[in-house]
Amino acid sequence: MFWKILGAIVLVWIGIVVLGALLKALFPMVALAVVGTGLYFLFRAMSGDRDSAKSPF
């Protein structure tokens, strides 16, 4: 019983470490994507072209 509990704790700990490493690695890319998307929509909102037929949105 002790080994099952210890194994479960170790597996949870490894899962948290892997998830934390993935989030730490992917956060800059997600932040850049959010900023890039915001800049794109800001550019589209500020541009003088109001032809909705060309807009995919």
Side-chain angles (χ1 to χ4, degrees):
M1 184 68 170
F2 170 76
W3 293 110
K4 286 183 182 181
I5 294 172
L6 185 64
I9 291 171
V10 168
L11 284 177
V12 168
W13 179 72
I14 290 173
I16 290 172
V17 167
V18 169
L19 184 63
L22 283 174
L23 289 176
K24 187 175 181 179
L26 292 178
F27 181 76
M29 287 186 252
V30 171
L32 284 174
V34 168
V35 169
T37 303
L39 289 173
Y40 170 75
F41 284 124
L42 181 65
F43 172 75
R44 293 284 295 175
M46 299 302 265
S47 67
D49 187 15
R50 296 288 181 204
D51 186 11
S52 63
K54 294 193 302 187
S55 175
F57 300 109

